[in-house]
Each structure stands twice: as C-alpha cells, then as structure tokens.
Amino acid sequence: MSSIRFGVAFAVLLACTVASASPVTIEFENLLENDVLTNQYSSLGVIVGGSPVIYTAGSLLNEIDFPPHSGTNVLVDQNGPITFTFASPLLSVGGYFTYTTLLTLQAFTPAHILLQTATSSSSANFGGPGTNEFIGFTSLGNIGSLLITGDPAGSSFTLDDLTFTTPEPGSFL
C-alpha cells in the first residue's frame, strides 16, 4: 500500500514540475555589421525594440575594450535602451555584457508587470578584467519581455550570447 502511495505522490510531483527545453543562444553571428536588430529572430519568438545595431570585432567594435564573448559580433545599444519581447513566456533569460555605465535589466510578465530587476556588478567593466559579465534572470516561466538600460543616450554597452529557456510544451499542468 505504501508503495502505491509513493508512486501516486511521485506521479503528482512529476506532473507539477516544469520541464525546461534546452537553452537557446543568440550569438548574432549571422548578421552583418551595422544591421539594426528588429525581427531577425522572430522564428525563435524574439522581437527587438530600441534599434540596437551589430558591431564586428576588428571594424567598428573596439575588441580590446569590448571583447565579444564568442565569435566576432555583438549587439550595441546605439540608440538607448533595448527591449526583447518573447512570443512565449520564458523560464530564464540573460546575456554577457561589457559596459561603460551601470546597467539595469528588468524582466516583465507578458502583461508587462515587473517581475525582477538586476543591475550590473559595477559601474563599468570595459577594458580589462570583468568584461563579459553574465547578467540574467530565472523565473517560473513567466518572463514575457526584457528591458536593458544603460546610458539613455545609448552607446554604453555590448551584449553577446543572449540565452533563454522556454518551458517544454505541455509542461504546465
């Protein structure tokens, strides 16, 4: 009898667990320098606002002060804050940042209710140790958008390897 209760309890626990899919990482390597990021990743359920642009190491990007985390391309906040809106709520989202001013990241629900806020570990991390700081969030599957703010005028940070995880379909019971 106790093994039946254990089996039922285990099945209920398993049914209530949110299974996560493999993380998706956007490295920006498939884009060209000076491309403005908008809907290039809509097939992944990601729309970008704020008109950020792609910089490439060895050209517009000063890779000594702002080294990419991977590859040669990074996203730059050329015109101010950047918004990522996700077609499906996420379990987690984050990326690698190099910056010249304090960064603030805000995660919102799909209804645009603030879930969490995070700030960079220092006021600047470019040109030396501490570049490519990972900043991100983990939630319970309810992140609908991400707002990243550095200098309101822009040109204050680079982002590489944006990584996010969505729940497995049917995992919320």
Side-chain angles (χ1 to χ4, degrees):
M1 185 69 159
S2 64
S3 64
I4 292 173
R5 277 190 229 142
F6 175 77
V8 170
F10 180 75
V12 170
L13 179 63
L14 187 61
C16 293
T17 301
V18 176
S20 63
S22 298
V24 174
T25 300
I26 299 175
E27 298 175 338
F28 308 113
E29 296 304 313
N30 63 322
L31 301 174
L32 301 174
E33 186 162 56
N34 273 327
D35 277 354
V36 175
L37 196 61
T38 56
N39 64 355
Q40 290 93 329
Y41 296 106
S42 61
S43 64
L44 298 174
V46 179
I47 301 296
V48 184
S51 302
V53 298
I54 299 297
Y55 278 16
T56 301
S59 185
L60 288 177
L61 180 66
N62 171 354
E63 70 270 14
I64 294 170
D65 286 337
F66 296 88
H69 182 253
S70 68
T72 58
N73 284 351
V74 297
L75 192 65
V76 176
D77 67 322
Q78 188 173 29
N79 298 303
I82 300 172
T83 303
F84 291 90
T85 303
F86 306 100
S88 298
L90 305 180
L91 294 172
S92 65
V93 63
Y96 291 89
F97 295 88
T98 303
Y99 46 90
T100 62
T101 189
L102 189 71
L103 291 184
T104 301
L105 280 69
Q106 295 175 296
F108 294 90
T109 67
H112 204 69
I113 298 168
L114 181 64
L115 281 172
Q116 294 174 311
T117 299
T119 57
S120 53
S121 64
S122 65
S123 61
N125 75 341
F126 68 100
T131 60
N132 291 314
E133 176 186 349
F134 184 84
I135 307 171
F137 299 101
T138 300
S139 182
L140 296 176
N142 206 25
I143 300 170
S145 63
L146 176 68
L147 174 63
I148 308 166
T149 306
D151 185 321
S155 297
S156 61
F157 68 86
T158 62
L159 164 61
D160 200 6
D161 296 342
L162 177 73
T163 303
F164 58 91
T165 308
T166 58
E168 286 287 348
S171 64
F172 290 112
L173 297 178

